[in-house]
Each structure stands twice: as structure tokens, then as C-alpha cells.
Amino acid sequence: MVLGKVRGLAIYFDNLNESNMPVFSGGDSVSGRVVVDVTGDVRVKSLNINARGVAKVRWTESRNAGANTAYAQNYTEEVEYLNHYDTLIGEERDEDCPEEGLTVLHAGLHEFAFSFNLPQMALATSFEGKHGSVRYWVKAELHRPWLLPVKVKKEFIVFEHIDINTPLLLAPQGGTKEKTLCCWFCVSGPISLSAKIERKGYTPGESIQIFAEVENASSRVVVPKAALYQTQTFFANGKGKQIQQLVSNLRGDSLPQGKSQSWEGKLLKIPPVSPSILDCPVIRVEYALVVYVDVPGGLNLSLSLPVVIGTIPLHACSSRTSSISSNCSNLSWLGLPERPEAPPSYCDLAVSESHRQVCLQGCDRSDEEGEDGGSLLAYITEFRYLPPPLYSEVDPYPEHVEVCGAQEVRRPDMCPSR
């Protein structure tokens, strides 16, 4: 037998997305093949795979301990989401007989299938940050007698789905702020900012519609702007480290003194970014839309609105519901007036006194024909055409009952005459 060599070892995943990428979610089945390319005959002890998923944080801080000394402190934290081990070739062997039970691979390509399920739990989305990452991979190791093992590692992507079609993420976000500029004894008028977005949840590729109103009563020329920021927060050893990055921004027109400016759905496009990571104990990725007024020579007036970047886009029915909630003050799209008409007053609906008397006379004639039914009809008709009583917290007709012996005597002065 001519001993051969291992020419190559590779891992291929089966289920790829439209971009030819291995993308999975919690509970999905991950399957693939380990391909071994050998020249000649190769004796193999074992071929193993190890699938892992780890969220890891690491950074270093330097501290001065004196004039000539300094030391560095490392902050490291790790959370494991997946650890699956499987043997594709080989099994447990007697260490005294290392040559026993070896598998011989002949020249050519050899494929070995593998499959495992991701845990049914909230997994952290794959992420790469400055001080930490969330990574998932499959590692294959080919062991041969008396030789170093051959290893290969292939990463795959995990998305923890965030459905933006939930009431919490469909709720409008908004706020109002005001600021007065002053310099020594000179005080100018206030700058007011009011902003609103139609919902909290978005997906990459969408545009955020910004509704804003800026009034400049100060003596300076200001500029309204908006920006979408990503905030990465890393936790390790009881300490946190935060990084903020600009994702997208836009600028309005300059606003001179005494002028106002309105944004009626100004669009801010969301570029391809990582989804929000909200449940990982060591890494958080959050987003916020900051609508602000750039004040030259002073502190900006800003309003921060939280935004969640999800993975499941907005459904058609949810889009209409969100549109209704965001345009509750503007009903023109329904073909209705913006301000509903007032209900008619009682005077417009009440009949005239002559018509009422005619109705009562008709009831009296019915009374002669049938005493019981006619009197009841007269009472109902008279009650129907009476004007409504005026509201009062004091009863205008209190009834005081005095008990005299076994008889009840009503005081006539307290009861209205019929």
C-alpha cells in the first residue's frame, strides 16, 4: 500500500441563502459536508467536527501607578451559546493499540455528512465590534497516527429574528424640547423642537419618515439636522465600555431669527447595518434617531428617539395600522374632514309645541277607546317629546317621608303638584 497525503480538507454547508451565505436562526437544522481530498491511501484515526457559538468581549486599559510605572488591566467575558461535538470517522479505541481499527481513505475525494440543530433559545445575532464579537463556526479535525492533525474552520451566520410587526415596535415615537440662549445679561428668545416618527421598528433598507417642527426665536441662525446612531456596549468583569457610530444623517435648511421650519415626512434611509442585539448579557447593539438643532457657538438642542433594527420587515396590514396611528390627526386619506362636525343640538331635533299637542290629542282619543293602552301610550309620548332636564347635583324634588304611626304621610309642600 502506497501511503498518500491529505491534499485538502474543507467544509460545505447545504442550505445557503440567496447571497450564497449560510444563515440560520435558533432551532434551525444546520447540515453540510466535510470533504477530504487525499493522494494515495491515507490511514485515519478519526474525523471529528465541533460546532460552537460564543459571544466574547475583550479590551485592555492602561493605568499609571506612579511616575515611572504603569500596568495594563485586561477585561474579558465570554458567553457560550452552542457546543456540539460529533465523530464522523472512528470511535473509541484502545490506547495500547493505536494501529487497531484505522480507516483507510483511498485516493480521491471523500464526503462525510454532518447535521445538528441550533438550540431552541434566544441566540445572539452574529456581530463584529471593536471590543467584542458574536461568532458561530464548525471546526473539523482529521487525526492520523504519528502525524499532526489537519484542521479546518468555517463560520456561519445566525440571526436572532426581531419582528417589527409587534405593538411595541409599531408605536409612534416623539417628543418636544425647548432651549433659551443667553450670554451674560443678554437673553434671546427660545428655540423649540418637536419631532415624531411613525414607529419604533425598522429594517435595513427602509427610510424613516421624520415629522418635525422647529421654531427659532433666538438671535442666531440655526440649522435643523437628524442622524441615526449605533451604540455598541460591551460588558466584562462588572464594567462597561461604549462606542457610538454614525450610521446615517441628513440636514435641513438654515433657519434665521423669527422663522420656523416643518419636516412633513423627511426621509432618512437606513443602510445595511447589524440588527439590534438586546438580550445578550455581554454585548448590546442599540440604535437611536437624534433630531437636533445645530446652534453655532452654543450647545445643540437635541431630541433622541429610540429605534430598533429588526429582521422581519413590515407586513402590509401592519403598515396600514401604523399609518393610521401616525396620521390620527389627518384623516384626509379616508376622505373625511380633518375636524368632525359637531353633533346636532336638541333644539334642532325637538318638535314644535303644536305638533306635540296634536300627538297628545291623538293619545287622548286612544285613551277613550282603550283606557289601559291609551294612558300608557300618552305617558310614553309625552315623555318622548319633553325637553331633557337640566343637570344639577341637587335633587330639585326631594321627597321627605314622615312616619306617623302605621301611616306614611308625605309633606305636600315638598312634593310638586301634578
Side-chain angles (χ1 to χ4, degrees):
M1 182 177 64
V2 179
L3 296 180
K5 297 181 179 180
V6 178
R7 180 184 297 174
L9 182 66
I11 298 175
Y12 298 95
F13 293 100
D14 290 338
N15 300 321
L16 304 179
N17 66 356
E18 298 176 354
S19 303
N20 205 29
M21 298 285 292
V23 180
F24 306 94
S25 299
D28 287 351
S29 176
V30 181
S31 61
R33 296 157 292 128
V34 177
V35 178
V36 184
D37 184 10
V38 297
T39 60
D41 295 333
V42 175
R43 293 181 299 174
V44 177
K45 292 172 58 177
S46 64
L47 175 60
N48 309 314
I49 65 163
N50 185 18
R52 296 199 64 197
V54 175
K56 189 173 183 179
V57 171
R58 179 183 178 86
W59 76 86
T60 301
E61 290 185 1
S62 299
R63 298 180 181 273
N64 294 325
N68 300 320
T69 61
Y71 69 95
Q73 184 173 358
N74 295 324
Y75 293 88
T76 305
E77 200 79 34
E78 184 176 304
V79 176
E80 186 176 78
Y81 287 98
L82 171 67
N83 193 350
H84 173 80
Y85 187 85
D86 195 8
T87 300
L88 304 182
I89 298 178
E91 55 187 13
E92 295 292 335
R93 297 183 177 84
D94 188 359
E95 294 296 335
D96 297 333
C97 303
E99 299 292 332
E100 182 182 352
L102 295 178
T103 301
V104 178
L105 299 180
H106 301 289
L109 295 176
H110 302 268
E111 294 187 359
F112 303 92
F114 66 86
S115 178
F116 60 90
N117 291 326
L118 295 178
Q120 291 278 4
M121 57 179 289
L123 302 177
T125 298
S126 299
F127 175 75
E128 291 291 332
K130 183 176 181 180
H131 300 296
S133 62
V134 181
R135 296 174 181 171
Y136 298 85
W137 69 86
V138 174
K139 184 177 181 180
E141 294 186 1
L142 180 67
H143 295 269
R144 298 166 295 170
W146 316 111
L147 295 173
L148 294 176
V150 180
K151 302 178 182 180
V152 65
K153 182 178 178 181
K154 185 81 173 282
E155 292 193 10
F156 60 94
I157 301 172
V158 170
F159 273 130
E160 178 59 27
H161 283 304
I162 300 177
D163 189 357
I164 68 172
N165 300 277
T166 60
L168 179 62
L169 299 185
L170 290 177
Q173 307 293 308
T176 302
K177 276 192 175 182
E178 188 176 277
K179 179 180 181 180
T180 301
L181 302 179
C182 61
C183 180
W184 294 95
F185 298 103
C186 177
V187 179
S188 64
I191 303 173
S192 62
L193 168 64
S194 177
K196 185 184 76 169
I197 55 177
E198 59 182 359
R199 48 191 160 94
K200 185 178 181 180
Y202 295 87
T203 52
E206 284 191 282
S207 294
I208 304 177
Q209 282 190 313
I210 306 174
F211 300 86
E213 182 77 25
V214 181
E215 294 184 2
N216 181 21
S218 70
S219 57
R220 305 184 189 181
V221 178
V222 300
V223 181
K225 298 179 181 180
L228 180 65
Y229 287 96
Q230 180 196 73
T231 302
Q232 305 174 11
T233 308
F234 306 92
F235 303 95
N237 303 339
K239 189 174 181 180
K241 198 172 186 65
Q242 197 170 82
I243 294 177
Q244 190 177 72
Q245 296 180 348
L246 176 64
V247 175
S248 180
N249 63 343
L250 60 85
R251 173 192 175 102
D253 299 329
S254 299
L255 196 61
Q257 178 183 3
K259 299 295 183 178
S260 62
Q261 186 175 142
S262 297
W263 289 358
E264 298 296 336
K266 202 173 184 66
L267 297 179
L268 176 65
K269 189 173 179 60
I270 303 175
V273 292
S274 171
S276 299
I277 300 178
L278 306 176
D279 297 326
C280 181
V282 296
I283 297 177
R284 287 182 66 89
V285 178
E286 299 169 296
Y287 294 87
L289 174 68
V290 180
V291 182
Y292 63 101
V293 179
D294 189 0
V295 182
L299 296 177
N300 295 336
L301 174 62
S302 62
L303 187 63
S304 180
L305 305 178
V307 172
V308 173
I309 302 298
T311 58
I312 301 178
L314 193 68
H315 298 161
C317 57
S318 299
S319 176
R320 185 173 183 272
T321 303
S322 174
S323 177
I324 293 175
S325 62
S326 63
N327 296 282
C328 57
S329 60
N330 185 7
L331 302 180
S332 59
W333 66 278
L334 282 174
L336 299 177
E338 294 187 4
R339 185 179 299 275
E341 296 180 359
S345 64
Y346 180 82
C347 297
D348 298 333
L349 297 177
V351 298
S352 62
E353 181 64 21
S354 59
H355 183 63
R356 176 172 171 268
Q357 293 297 333
V358 171
C359 294
L360 292 178
Q361 290 175 4
C363 295
D364 293 338
R365 287 194 298 269
S366 301
D367 190 14
E368 297 175 358
E369 299 174 358
E371 183 177 354
D372 294 335
S375 59
L376 178 61
L377 180 60
Y379 175 77
I380 295 175
T381 306
E382 183 177 5
F383 176 79
R384 177 181 179 183
Y385 289 105
L386 283 176
L390 298 177
Y391 172 77
S392 175
E393 296 184 356
V394 180
D395 188 0
Y397 306 117
E399 293 186 358
H400 294 271
V401 179
E402 296 181 0
V403 180
C404 299
Q407 296 182 347
E408 293 183 358
V409 180
R410 293 183 180 269
R411 294 177 56 185
D413 58 330
M414 302 301 294
C415 298
S417 58
R418 297 289 182 184

